[in-house]
Amino acid sequence: FRIQAPNECPGGGSPSNSGVSVGFQSHQSFVGNVDVSFQLNHGGYGRTSLGLWSVNQNQRVVGVDLDTDDTAYLSFSSGAFSTQYQYSSAPYMNKWITLRIQVVGNQVNFYADNGSGQQLLQTWPVPASSPPDAYFLFFGSGSVCWKSGANDTSFRLVTATGQ
C-alpha cells in the first residue's frame, strides 16, 4: 500500500489539517489472540495510525500512532492506557520500520524495530469486552505531504495470525 501526495505542504508550512489522508479496515476479522506486524516507510510528514478495531465495541481499542511531523513521536494505546515516545525525526524518515502488536490472553504487547532489532516497548491489559472480542486490522494515514525529499509513504502487512 503506497501513498503519494503533493511535493509540498499547502502554504509551505505545517502539514496539520492538510495534505492527503487515507484509511482502510480489513475484511477478515481475528478472534482471540492476534499477532500482527506492519512495516512503514515515511518519505514525508504526516501521521500513520494502525491497530485493532473491536467488533464488539465498534471502535479502535488497540493502536499505534507514528507521527513524522515536527512533533515526532511514537504513541501506543490500549483502552485507557497510552504512552508516547518522543524522538528526533531522523530515525523514522525514509526508512522501513516494523511495528508489532501482539494480543495474548488479556495482555497486549507493542514492539518496534527501526533497524536495530525488535524491542518490546510497552505492555498493557487488553480492553475487556464480553462476549470475547474479534478484531479487524485497520490502517490510516492523515495529513501526509512533503517538505523535501521523496514523496512516498509506504505500508505493508508483514504477518497477521489469529485464532
Side-chain angles (χ1 to χ4, degrees):
F1 185 71
R2 183 178 179 185
I3 303 166
Q4 288 187 297
N7 285 329
E8 187 174 308
C9 298
S14 171
S16 298
N17 301 315
S18 61
V20 173
S21 298
V22 66
F24 74 82
Q25 179 177 299
S26 66
H27 293 290
Q28 178 183 357
S29 65
F30 298 88
V31 179
N33 296 338
V34 177
D35 193 344
V36 60
S37 294
F38 304 86
Q39 283 192 323
L40 304 171
N41 179 64
H42 283 271
Y45 290 78
R47 180 170 299 152
T48 299
S49 299
L50 50 89
L52 304 178
W53 187 271
S54 164
V55 172
N56 293 351
Q57 299 176 46
N58 194 30
Q59 64 182 356
R60 170 180 140 156
V61 291
V62 174
V64 178
D65 292 320
L66 175 64
D67 186 359
T68 54
D69 192 357
D70 300 328
T71 57
Y73 66 78
L74 180 61
S75 180
F76 298 105
S77 62
S78 176
F81 300 93
S82 64
T83 194
Q84 197 172 93
Y85 295 88
Q86 298 286 333
Y87 59 86
S88 163
S89 292
Y92 294 106
M93 293 291 284
N94 293 304
K95 182 176 188 178
W96 283 101
I97 68 162
T98 303
L99 298 175
R100 178 180 177 195
I101 299 171
Q102 181 184 51
V103 176
V104 182
N106 62 354
Q107 180 174 300
V108 59
N109 303 311
F110 294 98
Y111 299 85
D113 181 357
N114 67 356
S116 59
Q118 182 174 263
Q119 295 180 357
L120 176 63
L121 294 183
Q122 194 67 54
T123 298
W124 280 306
V126 174
S129 69
S130 182
D133 212 344
Y135 305 102
F136 291 104
L137 306 181
F138 80 85
F139 170 81
S141 193
S143 302
V144 177
C145 56
W146 283 263
K147 294 181 178 178
S148 63
N151 63 340
D152 179 17
T153 290
S154 299
F155 154 86
R156 60 190 174 205
L157 181 65
V158 180
T159 60
T161 59
Q163 295 178 340

